[in-house]
Amino acid sequence: MLVFVIPLKSAQVSNSWERVTQLFERCLKSVCNQTSLNFHVIVVCHEKPKIEFTHSQITYITVNFSPPKETDPVAKGDTDKGRKILKGLIYAHQFSPTHTMTVDADDCVSKKLAKFIEQHPDSNGWFLNKGYKYQEGSSYIYLKRSNFYKMCGTCNIIRYDLNDLPQIAEYDRGYGYYRYYIDHAKVRDILKNKAQAIKSLPFPGAVYILETGENLFDNSKRLRFSIFNRKFLNQSVRDEFGLYDLQQSKEICQL
């Protein structure tokens, strides 16, 4: 079984909680659109967002963590994200997962993931070398042909026992304590150095959503798109990743 862990930022630190909720609901629909039912989703949040979408394989964990001690906004966000991921990974144990995948709450994933993991239960895991970049509202999507895992946090599928979970988890520590769960670009090399190498996923596994207004990092520098990697956002891609237009969805809900 593949267990997805989604850390969700709090309304108190959101620029727009409505926007965060919209992005999260699309992400959740995307994750739950798997072609195999052999998956579960754990959402770790301060407050459960009010959305219409429900699914029997979603578990919400609400936490009351105090604000991180760091003064830098990015470090604060990283620490909050890291401890929520740790909470979700530990909770995932009860579902006896073979693998886990952390998903950023504004990204979308391929519906083929759970089925693929089901077919390779003993693998150490995979990193997403290929994936898509998408700017909200565009008619185009861009293929990142290599090093996608260095750019997007939705990028590692790890065998559960390789998550390096502490025997007794602490949730009031600083950034360094949660580094393994946050520094997604380094996981591949860490595991390789431990002779537990993970492989490159053989297909694009996620869509990195850019310039949402709620990204932890300023990813405007990552908007450099090559026309040679551009493709029309056709229905096939939309269906595989559950990538629908948020504005159109909002207008439909208001009718």
Side-chain angles (χ1 to χ4, degrees):
M1 172 181 282
L2 173 61
V3 172
F4 298 94
V5 175
I6 305 178
L8 183 64
K9 69 194 300 185
S10 170
Q12 294 183 348
V13 298
S14 302
N15 296 319
S16 167
W17 181 239
E18 179 184 8
R19 183 67 164 178
V20 169
T21 300
Q22 285 182 324
L23 290 161
F24 167 69
E25 184 168 22
R26 180 174 66 184
C27 169
L28 199 58
K29 289 178 179 178
S30 170
V31 170
C32 291
N33 193 37
Q34 299 299 306
T35 57
S36 167
L37 291 177
N38 203 14
F39 74 93
H40 200 88
V41 186
I42 298 172
V43 181
V44 188
C45 52
H46 275 83
E47 51 275 299
K48 184 178 178 180
K50 296 179 180 179
I51 62 173
E52 294 184 1
F53 180 72
T54 60
H55 196 286
S56 60
Q57 284 151 280
I58 300 173
T59 298
Y60 286 90
I61 302 174
T62 55
V63 297
N64 59 353
F65 299 144
S66 58
K69 300 173 183 177
E70 288 87 355
T71 56
D72 178 74
V74 173
K76 275 189 173 183
D78 272 340
T79 300
D80 179 69
K81 180 179 179 180
R83 59 190 180 182
K84 285 176 178 172
I85 292 172
L86 176 58
K87 184 78 172 179
L89 289 174
I90 290 175
Y91 191 86
H93 182 267
Q94 64 184 282
F95 300 106
S96 300
T98 57
H99 296 80
T100 54
M101 181 181 191
T102 298
V103 177
D104 287 345
D106 51 4
D107 292 333
C108 294
V109 301
S110 171
K111 65 181 182 181
K112 300 186 294 184
L113 294 176
K115 184 66 175 179
F116 181 79
I117 274 60
E118 183 180 284
Q119 295 169 342
H120 304 85
D122 299 321
S123 173
N124 288 345
W126 300 265
F127 64 95
L128 274 58
N129 196 39
K130 294 184 292 185
Y132 289 105
K133 298 191 296 182
Y134 175 70
Q135 189 170 13
E136 193 64 50
S138 175
S139 298
Y140 296 95
I141 195 164
Y142 294 78
L143 178 63
K144 176 70 172 170
R145 298 179 184 275
S146 63
N147 295 325
F148 179 82
Y149 69 98
K150 294 183 179 180
M151 172 179 288
C152 177
T154 306
C155 65
N156 292 311
I157 303 170
I158 303 175
R159 201 177 73 205
Y160 186 64
D161 61 299
L162 300 183
N163 276 302
D164 196 23
L165 301 176
Q167 290 186 343
I168 301 177
E170 299 178 52
Y171 299 105
D172 59 351
R173 300 283 293 274
Y175 168 83
Y177 183 76
Y178 311 102
R179 182 170 294 170
Y180 182 70
Y181 317 112
I182 303 168
D183 291 348
H184 54 85
K186 299 179 181 179
V187 170
R188 176 193 178 189
D189 288 339
I190 290 172
L191 291 174
K192 182 179 180 180
N193 291 336
K194 292 182 177 181
Q196 297 169 327
I198 57 178
K199 301 176 182 179
S200 173
L201 191 74
F203 55 89
V207 179
Y208 181 30
I209 311 296
L210 296 159
E211 292 291 276
T212 65
E214 294 292 342
N215 299 95
L216 180 58
F217 295 98
D218 176 14
N219 53 22
S220 59
K221 295 179 181 178
R222 299 176 178 182
L223 288 171
R224 297 172 184 169
F225 298 131
S226 168
I227 192 171
F228 298 105
N229 294 324
R230 185 179 77 176
K231 64 182 293 184
F232 183 70
L233 182 54
N234 56 38
Q235 195 59 46
S236 175
V237 174
R238 288 187 181 277
D239 289 345
E240 179 177 348
F241 294 92
L243 186 56
Y244 57 82
D245 184 79
L246 290 183
Q247 184 60 37
Q248 183 180 22
S249 175
K250 182 178 179 181
E251 291 172 354
I252 291 175
C253 290
Q254 291 174 342
L255 293 178

